[in-house]
């Protein structure tokens, strides 16, 4: 599977960019953009648009440019509108940025969905795709459920075989990687958290096996500060994972119970413990990629032991070519807790990127806000690209200065200026307790 980005018109006409894996392409006049357009080209802003590529799919958003971005005959953004949401791209779509027009060509093997547009302009699966995609009402009166909905409905009607021995009890919520249910293991009666993921595109047998194999490797990691994996499998087009149930919820839930930011001693103690699990992951060659308060779970309502959740999912998505999976948020991390290099070059991500995300998590626990601010007019993706982290004591002046210095260093924009791994950040935090 691959996506080709061809420059049809403009100063860089004739250039091709071929992507066979996930990539983020920022387009604009700024010299650090992935696709730099000439500074004198009319109608182009410094940071104009962002194209996300997950072969065989792609999508684009305008980053608040002055003149907006075109998809065929549709205009996105522009003066006074601000950054837009992502819009899916289909095969043969043209993206216009000033004088530059980019052609998107999406290729996939037979049997794998390739997004195309119906006569109404609505994106749908290619006719080559196996059943399960969405069509607009004028093209197909029957809109099918997602594979996850089908699997959950089958389990709810008594088919225990759908999740191979787990019975659903109730919905716990939707996280960054999918829907989570409280379930019971039918043989032991033990409560587990069961996460269900559904792909937007058809999944061939090789991709299925690759994904489950990679997840099996990540699931084999055993550490007191990592959520334990109980089982995994697939049901139709859906994937499921049974995990240790943590009744204390996550760190955001704990802050709500406390009525606001945590005391420095409690916040640092929780993060130092969580860093044990992250250091174990880094030593094993894994990078989490989606660290945030919601992905640190607790064994008890009053805190208990913090455990990292959702580790390995993002890496396995990429390696198995399943980054088109439907998620709440993005598989590339949550922008408020994502370092800049992870936005501009997802393949770059290394342990030092997890350090920024863990620093942002501690910043949130201590201040109740995110490092770059969560203003109503500020698109979080754009802020990740353009806004520096505000020093912690500017938002939480009662935080001890030595602790604030450690957090601020963990949030340095330049990866080389940060603590390079979880162990280094942990040592620094222990020294200022």
């Amino acid at each position: 599977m691959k996506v080709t980005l061809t420059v049809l018109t403009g100063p860089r006409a004739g250039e091709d960019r071929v992507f066979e894996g996930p990539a983020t392409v920022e387009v604009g006049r700024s010299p650090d953009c992935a696709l730099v357009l000439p500074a004198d080209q009319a109608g182009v802003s410094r940071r104009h648009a962002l194209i996300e590529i997950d072969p065989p799919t792609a999508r684009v958003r305008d980053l608040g440019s002055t003149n907006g971005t075109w998809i065929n005959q549709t205009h996105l953004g522009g003066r006074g509108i601000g950054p837009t949401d992502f819009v899916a791209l289909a095969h043969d779509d043209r993206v216009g940025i000033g004088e530059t027009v980019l052609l998107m060509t999406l290729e996939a093997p037979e049997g794998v969905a390739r997004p195309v547009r119906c006569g109404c302009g609505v994106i749908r699966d290619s006719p080559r795709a196996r059943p399960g995609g969405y069509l607009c009402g004028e093209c197909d009166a029957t809109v099918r459920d997602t594979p996850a909905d089908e699997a959950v409905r089958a389990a709810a009607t008594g088919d225990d075989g759908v999740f191979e021995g787990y019975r659903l009890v109730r919905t716990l919520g939707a996280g960054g990687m999918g829907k989570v249910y409280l379930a019971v293991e039918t043989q032991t009666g033990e409560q587990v958290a069961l996460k269900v993921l559904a792909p937007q595109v058809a999944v061939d047998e090789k991709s299925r096996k690759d994904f489950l194999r990679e997840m099996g490797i990540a699931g084999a990691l055993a550490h007191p500060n990592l959520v334990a994996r109980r089982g995994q499998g697939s049901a139709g087009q859906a994937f499921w994972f049974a995990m240790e149930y943590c009744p204390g919820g996550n760190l955001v839930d704990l802050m709500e119970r406390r009525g606001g930011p945590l005391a420095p001693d409690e916040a640092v103690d929780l993060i130092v413990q969580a860093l044990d699990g992250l250091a174990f992951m880094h030593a094993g060659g894994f990078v989490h990629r989606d660290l945030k308060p919601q992905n640190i779970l607790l064994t008890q309502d009053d805190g208990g032991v913090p455990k990292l959740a959702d580790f390995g999912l993002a890496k396995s998505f990429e390696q198995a070519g399943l980054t088109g999976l439907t998620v709440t948020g993005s598989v590339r991390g949550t922008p408020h807790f994502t370092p800049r290099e992870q936005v501009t070059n997802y393949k770059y991500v290394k342990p030092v990127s997890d350090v920024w995300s863990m620093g942002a998590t501690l910043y949130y626990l201590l201040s109740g806000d995110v490092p770059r601010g969560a203003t109503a007019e500020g698109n979080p993706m754009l802020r990740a690209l353009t806004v520096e982290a505000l020093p912690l004591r500017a938002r939480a002046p009662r935080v001890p200065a030595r602790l604030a210095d450690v957090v601020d260093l963990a949030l340095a924009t330049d990866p080389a200026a940060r603590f390079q791994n979880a162990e280094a950040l942990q040592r620094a935090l222990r020294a200022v307790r």
Side-chain angles (χ1 to χ4, degrees):
M1 296 186 290
K2 68 180 181 180
V3 169
T4 301
L5 185 65
T6 302
V7 184
L8 295 180
T9 64
R12 305 190 67 162
E15 292 187 15
D16 280 336
R17 303 282 184 93
V18 179
F19 304 91
E20 297 184 353
T24 301
V25 181
E26 188 182 4
V27 185
R29 293 186 289 104
S30 178
D32 61 348
C33 286
L35 179 56
V36 181
L37 300 181
D40 59 353
Q41 183 178 160
V44 179
S45 298
R46 279 180 51 79
R47 298 186 182 278
H48 195 108
L50 194 69
I51 301 172
E52 283 199 347
I53 296 172
D54 288 320
T57 63
R59 59 184 189 165
V60 63
R61 78 188 308 168
D62 187 90
L63 293 176
S65 67
T66 301
N67 293 284
T69 301
W70 290 86
I71 301 179
N72 303 322
Q73 304 303 312
T74 301
H75 190 235
L76 306 178
R79 193 184 309 274
I81 295 178
T84 67
D85 291 333
F86 274 112
V87 176
L89 293 171
H91 176 64
D92 275 344
D93 273 353
R94 285 158 172 76
V95 178
I97 298 173
E99 301 170 17
T100 298
V101 175
L102 310 173
L103 171 67
M104 304 295 299
T105 304
L106 298 90
E107 301 179 23
E110 190 71 26
V112 176
R114 182 180 68 173
V116 296
R117 293 187 188 277
C118 66
C120 309
V122 176
I123 288 185
R124 63 177 175 82
D125 287 344
S126 163
R128 297 189 304 160
R130 64 184 72 175
Y134 284 94
L135 303 179
C136 80
E138 294 188 29
C139 296
D140 186 353
T142 303
V143 179
R144 301 176 179 87
D145 290 328
T146 68
D149 293 331
E150 293 169 356
V152 169
R153 183 174 295 106
T157 56
D159 185 358
D160 289 339
V162 170
F163 297 122
E164 299 182 19
Y166 295 93
R167 176 174 53 83
L168 299 187
V169 177
R170 60 182 172 86
T171 302
L172 292 174
M177 294 290 180
K179 294 181 179 179
V180 184
Y181 303 86
L182 179 65
V184 172
E185 188 174 15
T186 53
Q187 285 190 342
T188 66
E190 179 184 4
Q191 288 186 327
V192 298
L194 195 141
K195 175 161 288 192
V196 183
L197 310 174
Q200 288 179 322
V201 297
V203 180
D204 59 36
E205 191 59 28
K206 181 180 184 303
S207 295
R208 182 192 310 280
K209 289 180 179 178
D210 287 348
F211 180 55
L212 290 175
R213 183 182 65 250
E214 288 297 320
M215 287 306 298
I217 294 172
L221 291 174
H223 187 277
N225 298 111
L226 300 180
V227 172
R229 190 80 51 77
R230 304 297 191 206
Q232 65 179 47
S234 60
Q237 286 284 293
F239 296 94
W240 60 267
F241 305 93
M243 302 168 290
E244 173 185 6
Y245 175 51
C246 295
N250 58 49
L251 293 183
V252 174
D253 299 325
L254 179 65
M255 290 178 68
E256 291 178 355
R257 292 194 292 269
R258 296 284 191 266
L262 303 184
D265 286 348
E266 182 177 23
V268 171
D269 181 62
L270 289 169
I271 294 301
V272 165
Q273 290 182 68
L275 284 166
D276 269 340
L278 187 59
F280 181 78
M281 285 183 59
H282 288 171
F286 288 87
V287 179
H288 192 290
R289 298 173 184 252
D290 193 20
L291 285 167
K292 54 189 176 183
Q294 295 91 333
N295 277 343
I296 301 179
L297 307 184
L298 300 166
T299 57
Q300 299 174 20
D301 286 346
D302 62 352
V305 178
K307 293 174 178 277
L308 303 184
D310 282 351
F311 53 90
L313 279 179
K315 177 184 177 183
S316 299
F317 283 167
E318 179 183 0
Q319 291 192 346
L322 297 176
T323 45
L325 285 167
T326 300
V327 295
T328 304
S330 172
V331 298
R332 292 174 178 75
T334 304
H336 286 313
F337 296 93
T338 299
R340 186 170 298 173
E341 73 271 8
Q342 189 168 332
V343 174
T344 58
N345 187 356
Y346 180 59
K347 291 183 178 181
Y348 171 89
V349 179
K350 297 178 180 179
V352 69
S353 300
D354 279 347
V355 166
W356 198 98
S357 299
M358 193 64 92
T361 296
L362 180 53
Y363 187 109
Y364 183 80
L365 298 182
L366 293 167
S367 70
D369 201 352
V370 291
R372 294 181 287 243
T375 60
E377 69 277 7
N379 181 287
M381 186 72 75
L382 181 61
R383 295 184 73 80
L385 293 168
T386 60
V387 177
E388 303 295 319
L390 185 70
L392 176 56
R393 279 167 62 88
R395 284 206 174 94
R398 295 184 179 180
V399 173
R402 293 179 63 211
L403 171 58
D405 288 344
V406 171
V407 176
D408 291 342
L409 185 58
L411 294 171
T413 299
D414 181 1
R418 286 179 221 145
F419 303 103
Q420 293 300 293
N421 52 45
E423 187 177 3
L425 175 58
Q426 186 184 56
R427 285 197 304 269
L429 288 173
R430 281 175 171 161
V432 298
R433 277 170 127 177

